[in-house]
Amino acid sequence: MLRLLLLLGGVLGCAAEQAAPLAFTMLQLTRVYRGNSMFRGNASLNGQLSHVLEGNNVTQVLPLEPPDVWARRQDEVITYLGNFRQLVMLFHKERPTDFTHHLCCHLGCRLYPNGTAQSFYEVTLNRTAFLSFHVPSATWERRWPGELPVAAYAQQQLMKYPITTQDLQYFLNTTCVSILQAQSARTGKVSGRSRTPLVLGLVLGSLGLLGMALGIFLCTGGSC
């Protein structure tokens, strides 16, 4: 009986391992204090670290793009981070604050063996659930416990623009999933050259949304 149970457990364990979904996830962290911004983050493709954001630079860990193409992507990210820092400094001059703010964006998608997919985008502010994106309907939902005017204001602003609604929905439902569909479960390699720039597009897209969400909070000074 013991042998049978062990055998059954092994079979179930193998089945569970085979049923594990492929995943592409990103974690984007920003810390703001007295007008200064600090950035950290990473992206992982099926468990493999693909990109790292640290300070003013983003690094391609997996060779997803040729060096010349990647150099242009790096320049775009560095330019964006510089503009973001200047914007935060401007907000701080208008409405100074001594509080430290932590904004975290966690997004990605999962592709299951039966072909179904699940996408998500979650935002926390100061380590508390702030907003989440309901991908099927392309709508933002408040997650902050209790009433917080800035959460309602941020939700309204994010719902105004295609880049933070329909475009984000397309990234998560189509772009992100297509990356996983190109991923070989057996070899762990990415196939399809046309899909490589999409990874970087998602990186830049998340940075843009992060900047907008944080800018809304700083601009309102925590109240509306």
Side-chain angles (χ1 to χ4, degrees), residues 19-68:
L22 302 178
F24 179 77
T25 59
M26 293 185 59
L27 184 65
Q28 191 73 46
L29 305 170
T30 295
R31 177 179 180 268
V32 174
Y33 177 65
R34 291 187 176 180
N36 298 312
S37 306
M38 298 180 63
F39 306 98
R40 289 189 298 116
N42 62 71
S44 297
L45 179 59
N46 199 31
Q48 286 186 287
L49 190 66
S50 60
H51 300 84
V52 174
L53 174 65
E54 188 69 39
N56 293 323
N57 191 35
V58 60
T59 303
Q60 178 180 236
V61 179
L62 293 180
L64 300 178
E65 287 194 312
D68 57 334

Side-chain angles (χ1 to χ4, degrees), residues 91-214:
F91 288 156
H92 180 69
K93 288 180 180 180
E94 293 181 353
R95 295 198 177 187
T97 175
D98 291 331
F99 294 106
T100 299
H101 301 300
H102 298 269
L103 190 72
C104 173
C105 294
H106 183 217
L107 68 153
C109 61
R110 303 180 184 92
L111 181 65
Y112 295 89
N114 62 3
T116 61
Q118 179 186 29
S119 302
F120 63 94
Y121 198 120
E122 301 165 346
V123 182
T124 63
L125 179 63
N126 297 331
R127 299 180 177 87
T128 301
F130 186 58
L131 297 170
S132 66
F133 186 68
H134 186 253
V135 181
S137 61
T139 57
W140 285 94
E141 300 176 346
R142 280 172 281 171
R143 297 299 182 193
W144 192 273
E147 294 295 327
L148 182 68
V150 70
Y153 181 77
Q155 179 191 34
Q156 293 172 2
Q157 294 300 309
L158 292 172
M159 286 299 300
K160 286 184 178 180
Y161 308 101
I163 192 172
T164 53
T165 52
Q166 290 92 347
D167 292 356
L168 181 58
Q169 181 189 51
Y170 182 84
F171 264 128
L172 294 173
N173 265 350
T174 304
T175 303
C176 187
V177 174
S178 71
I179 294 171
L180 295 180
Q181 290 172 339
Q183 175 81 358
S184 170
R186 290 184 177 179
T187 63
K189 295 180 180 179
V190 179
S191 63
R193 290 175 296 176
S194 64
R195 291 179 173 84
T196 297
L198 298 181
V199 180
L200 276 301
L202 192 56
V203 172
L204 296 176
S206 70
L207 283 172
L209 186 56
L210 175 64
M212 180 176 292
L214 183 56

